[in-house]
Amino acid sequence: MGYWLMKSEPDVFGLEHLKKMPNKTEHWDGVRNYQARNFMRDGMKVGDQILFYHSNCEVPGIVGIAQVVREAYPDHTAFDPEAKYHDPKSDPENPRWYMVDVQYVRHLKRNISLHELKGHAEQLPDFPLLRKGNRLSVIPVSEQAWKYILDLE
DNA sequence: GCCAACGTTGGC
DNA sequence: GCCAACGTTGGC
């Protein structure tokens, strides 16, 4: 079983939004970073668990859990000239960007803020979120880090 | 709103 | 292939 962390801006699409979607499921479109794409396309499997992280907000941190319910397929929003994340270099014959479908699992009993996580940096040596300048929106999480973080809950 | 970090673009 | 310019992310 794989573990991941995905960032989202709660003002744009937060965990509450995901919970209210039909089937509590939404496609994770708009990823336009090659490293993040590769993690989604090559790494994510159905059933993988996701730490849902809120960024760019009052208290950035992990707020809940989601899971992968569909493996990577072309992000069609890249083909649409009207779409915010349109990419003229991506087309249906040769898609450049991919997305997965993500389903709401649950909120954490309490939010685990970035600030709090920083206090556990020693126990989370490989946790990319704590690295300076980290901007990836899709990040693999080790099983140890997954368990450690959920034990904080 | 500021700014550091970092990815991408494009001229050469 | 180098690197300056530029755009974006995201914490603060």
Side-chain angles (χ1 to χ4, degrees):
Chain A
M1 161 117 46
Y3 300 99
W4 306 89
L5 180 143
M6 287 176 123
K7 290 182 190 170
S8 193
E9 302 186 20
D11 295 341
V12 180
F13 190 86
L15 191 56
E16 286 295 339
H17 296 95
L18 184 61
K19 188 181 181 180
K20 287 175 184 151
M21 297 305 292
N23 271 338
K24 302 183 178 182
T25 299
E26 180 63 303
H27 48 265
W28 206 260
D29 62 356
V31 172
R32 297 291 180 269
N33 171 284
Y34 288 104
Q35 217 180 331
R37 179 204 67 183
N38 293 345
F39 285 138
M40 281 201 305
R41 189 187 58 186
D42 307 332
M44 281 191 170
K45 304 295 174 200
V46 169
D48 281 5
Q49 300 292 295
I50 300 162
L51 294 172
F52 202 101
Y53 179 87
H54 280 174
S55 67
N56 244 323
C57 55
E58 201 173 335
V59 184
I62 297 164
V63 296
I65 295 172
Q67 64 181 350
V68 179
V69 292
R70 180 175 173 187
E71 282 162 29
Y73 58 106
D75 182 344
H76 56 77
T77 67
F79 311 145
D80 177 3
E82 304 296 316
K84 183 181 176 191
Y85 295 107
H86 175 235
D87 182 353
K89 292 171 187 160
S90 186
D91 63 74
E93 276 74 49
N94 190 18
R96 175 178 293 204
W97 305 112
Y98 287 80
M99 58 189 176
V100 296
D101 284 358
V102 165
Q103 182 177 47
Y104 174 88
V105 174
R106 67 179 179 89
H107 276 77
L108 299 188
K109 296 187 208 92
R110 65 181 190 86
N111 295 353
I112 300 173
S113 69
L114 178 63
H115 177 260
E116 178 177 356
L117 287 169
K118 283 179 175 171
H120 298 270
E122 275 186 31
Q123 290 83 8
L124 297 166
D126 301 322
F127 202 53
L129 202 63
L130 300 178
R131 278 211 292 268
K132 205 175 180 182
N134 157 64
R135 290 169 47 189
L136 268 186
S137 60
V138 179
I139 300 169
V141 173
S142 70
E143 189 176 359
Q144 295 92 316
W146 175 272
K147 286 178 175 162
Y148 184 86
I149 288 167
L150 289 186
D151 277 345
L152 298 174
E153 186 182 357

